[in-house]
Amino acid sequence: MRKLWGFIIFIALIFMFPMKINASCNNETKARLRKIVSNVNISYEYQMIRNTAIFSLKFNNVSSDIYFKDQYDNNYYGDVDGEITLYNYPSGKSFTFTFYGTNDCRLEEVGKLYATTPAYNPYYQLSVCNDVPEFDLCQKWSSHSLNREQFIKEVNEYKNKQNIIDDSPIDKNISVIDFLFNFFKLYGIYVLIGIVIIIIVIKYINYKRDTFGF
């Protein structure tokens, strides 16, 4: 009989224990922990290794009330300053970090944060980009899947569209009408002044002749 009662009590405790855990993770607690998660900041730094950008992610404000897991299910807790630094993240990728409570809500998700590392462009320093540093493909951080030859082709096509390089021959056969139009557009005022002066001189000479009988 004692064994039977012991078994019943043991089963009862098994069912009561998870209820006790879940009871400490009520909506109010979740809301508090979600607010703590929202205050976590993620910044990044990078270093170049064999022309490849490798990033480290730095987490700030990681309270002792929370911890998080990465995509490999590794657990991370903030240090005494509430900071965590993760290393060796590739460029141009997105990562998800799932947060939990360290005491309350330890087994329940209370928030997610996402980090995306910039995509490094290994061709941005090629000489083909010298004339068009503003072009998207010529930026240091630019996402594309082009190989070197495709990259050079795309940049040259952009430069041709922008008339950066114009090797076409200059047409020197200008019509007489176009020449006169351009000439009067540039020098018309001077021609007009010259004509007025000539007319005045002629009238003056004629006036002198009429007056003195020359």
Side-chain angles (χ1 to χ4, degrees), residues 81-166:
D81 297 317
E83 296 181 351
I84 302 171
T85 302
L86 308 183
Y87 299 94
N88 298 323
Y89 282 80
S91 70
K93 301 293 183 180
S94 295
F95 307 94
T96 302
F97 302 95
T98 306
F99 285 77
Y100 304 85
T102 53
N103 295 309
D104 301 330
C105 300
R106 185 171 181 81
L107 301 179
E108 293 192 41
E109 176 188 324
V110 294
K112 288 182 184 290
L113 289 181
Y114 305 91
T116 300
T117 55
Y120 177 71
N121 177 11
Y123 307 129
Y124 82 103
Q125 289 184 314
L126 293 181
S127 59
V128 71
C129 284
N130 290 346
D131 298 324
V132 285
E134 78 288 349
F135 184 35
D136 288 344
L137 274 183
C138 289
Q139 303 299 308
K140 183 175 184 178
W141 305 108
S142 176
S143 177
H144 64 79
S145 58
L146 304 174
N147 60 34
R148 185 186 180 95
E149 290 73 20
Q150 292 170 334
F151 179 86
I152 293 174
K153 180 181 178 182
E154 289 284 336
V155 176
N156 279 327
E157 288 179 356
Y158 171 81
K159 291 165 73 172
N160 289 331
K161 289 179 182 179
Q162 300 298 316
N163 294 321
I164 301 298
I165 300 175
D166 187 6

Side-chain angles (χ1 to χ4, degrees), residues 32 43 161 169:
R32 180 180 65 83
S43 59
K161 289 179 182 179

Side-chain angles (χ1 to χ4, degrees), residues 21-36:
I21 293 177
N22 291 333
S24 66
C25 188
N26 53 40
N27 290 335
E28 182 179 352
T29 301
K30 287 182 179 180
R32 180 180 65 83
L33 293 176
R34 288 189 184 114
K35 185 174 181 180
I36 293 174

Side-chain angles (χ1 to χ4, degrees), residues 53-73:
I54 302 299
F55 288 81
S56 59
L57 303 180
K58 186 174 183 179
F59 295 73
N60 297 99
N61 300 328
V62 182
S63 165
S64 59
D65 291 327
I66 56 175
Y67 74 100
F68 65 83
K69 294 184 177 183
D70 62 11
Q71 68 271 26
Y72 303 111
D73 213 31

